[in-house]
Protein backbone atom coordinates (compact mmCIF):
# COMPACT_ATOMS: atom_id res chain seq x y z
CA UNK A 1 0.00 0.00 0.00
CA UNK A 2 1.43 3.35 -1.07
CA UNK A 3 1.20 6.15 1.47
CA UNK A 4 1.25 9.84 0.57
CA UNK A 5 1.74 12.50 3.26
CA UNK A 6 -0.36 15.09 1.40
CA UNK A 7 -3.03 15.60 -1.23
CA UNK A 8 -2.86 18.34 -3.86
CA UNK A 9 -6.01 19.53 -5.61
CA UNK A 10 -6.44 21.97 -8.48
CA UNK A 11 -2.78 22.60 -9.26
CA UNK A 12 -3.64 23.56 -12.85
CA UNK A 13 -5.85 26.42 -11.70
CA UNK A 14 -4.48 29.79 -12.79
CA UNK A 15 -5.22 31.81 -9.63
CA UNK A 16 -2.62 33.17 -7.26
CA UNK A 17 -4.29 31.77 -4.14
CA UNK A 18 -2.82 28.72 -2.40
CA UNK A 19 -5.14 27.23 0.23
CA UNK A 20 -3.55 24.98 2.86
CA UNK A 21 -4.95 22.74 5.58
CA UNK A 22 -2.27 21.53 7.99
CA UNK A 23 -4.62 19.52 10.21
CA UNK A 24 -6.95 18.09 7.58
CA UNK A 25 -7.26 14.50 8.81
CA UNK A 26 -6.92 12.15 11.76
CA UNK A 27 -5.19 9.49 9.65
CA UNK A 28 -2.44 7.41 11.27
CA UNK A 29 -0.21 5.96 8.51
CA UNK A 30 0.11 2.15 8.60
CA UNK A 31 3.86 2.58 9.16
CA UNK A 32 3.15 4.23 12.53
CA UNK A 33 2.00 1.75 15.14
CA UNK A 34 0.30 -0.36 12.50
CA UNK A 35 -2.07 2.54 11.85
CA UNK A 36 -3.02 3.31 15.45
CA UNK A 37 -1.74 5.45 18.31
CA UNK A 38 -3.62 3.35 20.86
CA UNK A 39 -6.50 5.80 21.28
CA UNK A 40 -10.20 4.96 20.93
CA UNK A 41 -12.11 6.46 18.01
CA UNK A 42 -13.85 8.86 20.39
CA UNK A 43 -10.48 10.50 21.09
CA UNK A 44 -9.27 10.35 17.48
CA UNK A 45 -12.46 12.20 16.48
CA UNK A 46 -11.61 15.10 18.80
CA UNK A 47 -9.68 18.26 17.97
CA UNK A 48 -6.57 16.75 19.53
CA UNK A 49 -6.16 14.54 16.44
CA UNK A 50 -7.07 17.02 13.67
CA UNK A 51 -9.15 20.12 12.88
CA UNK A 52 -12.69 18.80 12.37
CA UNK A 53 -14.42 20.46 9.42
CA UNK A 54 -11.38 22.38 8.26
CA UNK A 55 -10.67 20.23 5.21
CA UNK A 56 -14.23 20.64 3.94
CA UNK A 57 -14.04 24.41 4.36
CA UNK A 58 -10.64 24.45 2.62
CA UNK A 59 -11.98 22.48 -0.36
CA UNK A 60 -15.00 24.76 -0.78
CA UNK A 61 -12.83 27.84 -0.39
CA UNK A 62 -10.29 26.63 -2.95
CA UNK A 63 -13.05 25.77 -5.41
CA UNK A 64 -14.65 29.20 -4.95
CA UNK A 65 -11.36 31.08 -5.33
CA UNK A 66 -10.08 28.94 -8.20
CA UNK A 67 -7.15 28.08 -5.98
CA UNK A 68 -4.72 25.23 -5.56
CA UNK A 69 -5.23 23.29 -2.34
CA UNK A 70 -2.77 21.18 -0.37
CA UNK A 71 -3.89 19.16 2.64
CA UNK A 72 -1.96 16.98 5.07
CA UNK A 73 -2.71 13.25 5.23
CA UNK A 74 -1.66 12.49 8.80
CA UNK A 75 -2.95 13.28 12.25
CA UNK A 76 -1.37 16.09 14.21
CA UNK A 77 -0.80 13.42 16.89
CA UNK A 78 1.50 11.53 14.53
CA UNK A 79 3.51 14.72 14.08
CA UNK A 80 2.28 18.30 13.94
CA UNK A 81 3.05 20.02 10.61
CA UNK A 82 2.19 23.41 12.09
CA UNK A 83 5.24 23.39 14.36
CA UNK A 84 8.91 24.02 13.76
CA UNK A 85 11.19 21.00 13.46
CA UNK A 86 12.75 21.72 16.86
CA UNK A 87 9.49 22.62 18.63
CA UNK A 88 9.00 20.50 21.78
CA UNK A 89 5.28 20.10 20.93
CA UNK A 90 6.03 18.58 17.50
CA UNK A 91 5.19 15.12 18.86
CA UNK A 92 2.65 15.38 21.66
CA UNK A 93 2.53 12.82 24.46
CA UNK A 94 -0.27 14.58 26.37
CA UNK A 95 -2.88 16.81 24.73
CA UNK A 96 -5.90 18.49 26.36
CA UNK A 97 -5.96 15.93 29.16
CA UNK A 98 -5.45 12.86 26.96
CA UNK A 99 -2.31 10.69 27.11
CA UNK A 100 -1.26 9.46 23.65
CA UNK A 101 -0.17 5.81 24.17
CA UNK A 102 1.54 5.49 20.79
CA UNK A 103 3.70 8.53 21.55
CA UNK A 104 4.45 7.80 25.18
CA UNK A 105 7.77 6.09 24.53
CA UNK A 106 8.62 7.71 21.18
CA UNK A 107 12.30 8.66 21.15
CA UNK A 108 14.31 10.94 18.88
CA UNK A 109 14.74 8.14 16.36
CA UNK A 110 10.98 7.71 16.06
CA UNK A 111 10.53 11.47 15.79
CA UNK A 112 13.04 11.59 12.94
CA UNK A 113 11.31 8.69 11.20
CA UNK A 114 7.97 10.50 11.32
CA UNK A 115 9.56 13.68 10.03
CA UNK A 116 10.81 11.78 6.99
CA UNK A 117 7.53 9.93 6.47
CA UNK A 118 5.07 12.78 6.96
CA UNK A 119 6.35 16.19 8.00
CA UNK A 120 9.06 16.86 5.42
CA UNK A 121 7.16 15.58 2.35
CA UNK A 122 4.17 17.76 3.26
CA UNK A 123 6.30 20.87 3.69
CA UNK A 124 8.26 20.13 0.54
CA UNK A 125 5.01 20.08 -1.44
CA UNK A 126 3.70 23.20 0.25
CA UNK A 127 6.98 24.97 -0.44
CA UNK A 128 6.99 23.86 -4.08
CA UNK A 129 3.47 25.13 -4.67
CA UNK A 130 4.10 28.42 -2.87
CA UNK A 131 7.21 29.05 -4.97
CA UNK A 132 5.51 28.18 -8.27
CA UNK A 133 4.69 31.84 -8.91
CA UNK A 134 5.92 35.20 -7.64
CA UNK A 135 2.58 36.52 -6.38
CA UNK A 136 1.30 33.55 -4.35
CA UNK A 137 -1.17 34.36 -1.57
CA UNK A 138 -1.38 31.67 1.12
CA UNK A 139 -4.64 31.05 2.98
CA UNK A 140 -4.21 28.61 5.87
CA UNK A 141 -7.47 27.07 7.07
CA UNK A 142 -7.86 25.73 10.60
CA UNK A 143 -10.71 25.09 13.01
CA UNK A 144 -10.97 25.47 16.76
CA UNK A 145 -12.99 23.75 19.43
CA UNK A 146 -15.81 25.76 21.05
CA UNK A 147 -14.37 24.99 24.47
CA UNK A 148 -11.28 23.31 25.88
CA UNK A 149 -11.73 21.04 28.89
CA UNK A 150 -12.11 23.12 32.02
CA UNK A 151 -11.97 26.40 30.10
CA UNK A 152 -14.54 29.09 29.30
CA UNK A 153 -16.60 28.82 26.09
CA UNK A 154 -15.10 30.61 23.10
CA UNK A 155 -17.49 33.22 21.61
CA UNK A 156 -15.76 33.78 18.27
CA UNK A 157 -17.18 32.36 15.06
CA UNK A 158 -14.09 33.06 12.97
CA UNK A 159 -10.58 33.95 14.13
CA UNK A 160 -7.81 35.55 12.11
CA UNK A 161 -4.27 35.03 13.38
CA UNK A 162 -1.52 37.42 12.36
CA UNK A 163 1.84 38.86 13.31
CA UNK A 164 2.72 42.51 12.64
CA UNK A 165 4.09 44.10 10.58
CA UNK A 166 3.33 41.55 7.83
CA UNK A 167 -0.42 41.47 8.41
CA UNK A 168 -2.07 43.81 5.91
CA UNK A 169 -4.24 41.07 4.40
CA UNK A 170 -5.23 39.77 7.84
CA UNK A 171 -6.33 43.22 9.03
CA UNK A 172 -8.27 43.80 5.83
CA UNK A 173 -10.05 40.46 6.24
CA UNK A 174 -10.92 41.25 9.86
CA UNK A 175 -12.62 44.46 8.70
CA UNK A 176 -14.52 42.57 5.99
CA UNK A 177 -15.68 39.97 8.52
CA UNK A 178 -16.84 42.65 10.94
CA UNK A 179 -18.94 44.40 8.32
CA UNK A 180 -21.01 41.21 7.93
CA UNK A 181 -22.70 42.05 11.21
CA UNK A 182 -23.45 38.49 12.31
CA UNK A 183 -19.91 37.17 12.76
CA UNK A 184 -18.09 37.38 16.10
CA UNK A 185 -14.53 37.93 14.91
CA UNK A 186 -11.45 36.89 16.83
CA UNK A 187 -8.53 39.26 16.22
CA UNK A 188 -5.64 36.96 17.16
CA UNK A 189 -8.16 34.79 18.99
CA UNK A 190 -8.43 32.04 20.10
CA UNK A 191 -4.66 31.95 19.53
CA UNK A 192 -2.10 34.69 19.07
CA UNK A 193 -0.07 35.32 15.94
CA UNK A 194 2.46 32.81 14.66
CA UNK A 195 5.24 30.77 16.22
CA UNK A 196 8.79 30.41 14.86
CA UNK A 197 8.90 27.57 12.36
CA UNK A 198 5.14 27.11 11.98
CA UNK A 199 3.66 26.79 8.50
CA UNK A 200 2.95 30.49 7.94
CA UNK A 201 6.34 31.48 9.33
CA UNK A 202 8.09 28.92 7.14
CA UNK A 203 6.26 29.45 3.85
CA UNK A 204 4.95 33.03 4.06
CA UNK A 205 6.70 35.28 6.57
CA UNK A 206 10.23 34.15 5.72
CA UNK A 207 9.55 34.71 2.02
CA UNK A 208 7.49 37.91 2.48
CA UNK A 209 4.50 36.28 0.81
CA UNK A 210 1.01 37.63 1.28
CA UNK A 211 -0.91 35.37 3.64
CA UNK A 212 -3.72 34.96 6.12
CA UNK A 213 -4.64 32.26 8.63
CA UNK A 214 -8.34 31.66 9.24
CA UNK A 215 -9.82 29.66 12.13
CA UNK A 216 -13.50 28.61 12.05
CA UNK A 217 -15.27 27.32 15.16
CA UNK A 218 -15.95 23.63 14.84
CA UNK A 219 -19.60 23.57 15.87
CA UNK A 220 -20.35 25.82 12.89
CA UNK A 221 -18.89 23.37 10.37
CA UNK A 222 -20.04 19.98 11.60
CA UNK A 223 -21.71 18.98 8.31
CA UNK A 224 -20.58 19.01 4.69
CA UNK A 225 -23.27 21.58 3.91
CA UNK A 226 -22.01 23.94 6.63
CA UNK A 227 -18.40 23.48 5.54
CA UNK A 228 -19.35 24.40 1.98
CA UNK A 229 -21.38 27.36 3.26
CA UNK A 230 -18.44 28.80 5.17
CA UNK A 231 -15.92 28.14 2.41
CA UNK A 232 -18.14 29.89 -0.12
CA UNK A 233 -18.90 32.73 2.29
CA UNK A 234 -15.26 33.39 3.09
CA UNK A 235 -14.12 33.40 -0.56
CA UNK A 236 -15.52 36.81 -1.62
CA UNK A 237 -14.42 38.35 1.67
CA UNK A 238 -10.87 37.14 1.07
CA UNK A 239 -10.93 38.44 -2.51
CA UNK A 240 -12.22 41.79 -1.28
CA UNK A 241 -9.65 41.95 1.50
CA UNK A 242 -6.86 41.32 -1.00
CA UNK A 243 -8.11 44.25 -3.08
CA UNK A 244 -8.45 46.42 0.04
CA UNK A 245 -4.87 45.65 1.05
CA UNK A 246 -3.56 46.51 -2.45
CA UNK A 247 -1.40 43.39 -2.52
Amino acid sequence: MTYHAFHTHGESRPGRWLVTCDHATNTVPPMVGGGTLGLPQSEMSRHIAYDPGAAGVAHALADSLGATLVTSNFSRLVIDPNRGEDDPTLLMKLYDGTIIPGNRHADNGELERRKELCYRPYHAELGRLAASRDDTVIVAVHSFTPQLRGRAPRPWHVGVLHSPPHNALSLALIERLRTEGDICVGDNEPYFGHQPGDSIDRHALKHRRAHVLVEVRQDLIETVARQQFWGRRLAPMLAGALADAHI
Side-chain angles (χ1 to χ4, degrees):
M1 177 169 156
T2 302
Y3 170 74
H4 298 284
F6 57 85
H7 296 298
T8 301
H9 174 72
E11 187 176 355
S12 62
R13 291 170 172 171
R16 62 186 294 204
W17 298 93
L18 172 60
V19 179
T20 71
C21 191
D22 291 339
H23 301 142
T25 179
N26 58 3
T27 298
V28 180
M31 306 81 163
V32 177
T36 178
L37 293 172
L39 289 172
Q41 187 57 40
S42 59
E43 290 289 350
M44 290 301 295
S45 297
R46 293 180 62 218
H47 72 98
I48 63 171
Y50 73 125
D51 280 358
V57 174
H59 272 277
L61 180 61
D63 290 346
S64 297
L65 290 173
T68 302
L69 169 68
V70 59
T71 62
S72 68
N73 189 32
F74 52 93
S75 171
R76 73 200 308 171
L77 294 180
V78 172
I79 191 167
D80 194 333
N82 196 32
R83 297 289 185 271
E85 286 213 26
D86 58 352
D87 192 303
T89 64
L90 189 61
L91 196 157
M92 295 290 282
K93 300 188 178 185
L94 173 69
Y95 196 167
D96 194 23
T98 297
I99 294 172
I100 319 304
N103 293 348
R104 194 169 185 178
H105 302 294
D107 57 15
N108 287 335
E110 177 62 12
L111 175 60
E112 183 65 23
R113 192 173 75 86
R114 295 188 194 182
K115 285 180 182 179
E116 286 296 313
L117 177 67
C118 301
Y119 183 98
R120 288 173 182 146
Y122 172 71
H123 280 291
E125 177 70 353
L126 204 167
R128 181 185 73 82
L129 293 169
S132 66
R133 54 188 296 159
D134 294 334
D135 61 349
T136 297
V137 183
I138 296 176
V139 184
V141 178
H142 292 258
S143 70
F144 64 95
T145 183
Q147 185 175 12
L148 292 173
R149 286 177 173 172
R151 304 286 183 89
R154 291 162 160 174
W156 313 283
H157 300 126
V158 178
V160 180
L161 311 189
H162 57 95
S163 297
H166 309 291
N167 56 352
L169 180 55
S170 298
L171 296 180
L173 178 60
I174 289 169
E175 289 306 308
R176 287 267 174 172
L177 288 163
R178 284 174 173 163
T179 61
E180 293 289 297
D182 62 339
I183 299 176
C184 181
V185 185
D187 182 347
N188 268 336
E189 298 286 0
Y191 312 107
F192 179 79
H194 303 291
Q195 300 297 320
D198 69 13
S199 288
I200 287 293
D201 181 50
R202 181 170 181 164
H203 299 288
L205 290 172
K206 287 183 177 175
H207 299 274
R208 302 196 174 200
R209 291 189 180 110
H211 64 277
V212 63
L213 189 153
V214 178
E215 296 259 5
V216 184
R217 204 174 70 200
Q218 288 163 9
D219 60 317
L220 302 177
I221 51 174
E222 290 179 334
T223 67
V224 171
R226 295 299 293 171
Q227 293 159 19
Q228 291 177 344
F229 169 81
W230 276 100
R232 292 166 183 164
R233 186 177 187 184
L234 288 168
M237 285 188 273
L238 279 159
L242 189 65
D244 294 344
H246 305 290
I247 296 172

